[in-house]
Amino acid sequence: MRFTLLTLFPEPIDAYFASSIMARAVQKGLVQYRCVNIRDFALDTHRTCDDAPYGGGAGMVLKAEPLAAALDSVGAAGLHTIYPTPAGRSLTTALVEQLGAHEELVLICGRYEGIDQRVIDLYVDDEISIGDYVLSSGELAALVIVDVLYRHLDGVITRESLQEESFQDGLLEYPHYTRPEVFRSRGVPEVLLSGHHERIREWRTQQRIDKTRRARPDLYEAWLSRSAPDGKE
Ligand code: 6GU
């Protein structure tokens, strides 16, 4: 899968693609990425990319011309182009699956109050929000979208890791422990040391149910009604 990101701040993007599991995915050829600096397409000697909003109001707006030129330079018109914005539709597991069907995605990292609406009208196929809060950096939101997509590609992480994760079946994850067996006087749940795989499996499932009930009553209720429509657990 190929990711093309347009940004005024390439450093955090480059750092992310050069780190850890993503770095390995790039090295293995499972992920390709391009990072384009919108400022390279600015028209004036000051390389201006923002301006005051028509109609007045707070903040600045990312100008249309440099962003459109940057989009043209990557062939965005023929590619699925995403603008991450708190004004978009919600990123869900279902949307992640749809996006994963594209061989290449273009992501516009906004800054300031937003980007000129005409660029959205002309180039953007999908406006996506990663949650009900406002980030100052479109880079973070774009990388969240990249991250949730690439980890599902074959060969990035093991199938078991994916299967055991939170949300896979509507429950949150069970707690994890590793050595040492005692840390600051705190031990490890006895069952995990027992070698009894069936009991371990049952304990983990119960932990997931308890954790979900406490942390996410909304998910817990949904899980309950799916697993026991008549109200029994
Ligand atoms: Cl996609 N961008 C920004 N800047 N803030 C957000 C967001 C996106 N989703 C939620 N908040």
Side-chain angles (χ1 to χ4, degrees), residues 107-193:
L107 293 122
I108 302 169
C109 304
R111 282 270 169 159
Y112 320 123
E113 286 304 304
I115 68 179
D116 192 292
Q117 181 62 37
R118 292 164 293 186
V119 174
I120 299 175
D121 298 341
L122 288 167
Y123 290 91
V124 171
D125 300 299
D126 221 347
E127 294 178 83
I128 297 174
S129 166
I130 64 161
D132 292 339
Y133 40 77
V134 176
L135 302 168
S136 50
S137 156
E139 285 74 18
L140 284 176
L143 289 178
V144 165
I145 296 170
V146 169
D147 193 282
V148 73
L149 284 167
Y150 97 94
R151 61 199 305 288
H152 289 275
L153 298 173
D154 278 342
V156 173
I157 58 177
T158 68
R159 199 163 295 275
E160 286 144 299
S161 299
L162 279 178
Q163 263 158 14
E164 284 182 6
E165 282 177 348
S166 297
F167 298 115
Q168 203 55 49
D169 52 11
L171 289 175
L172 305 182
E173 257 194 297
Y174 55 78
H176 303 282
Y177 295 86
T178 186
R179 281 174 290 216
E181 199 176 313
V182 179
F183 175 68
R184 299 193 184 170
S185 316
R186 289 159 183 263
V188 171
E190 198 60 42
V191 63
L192 299 180
L193 309 173

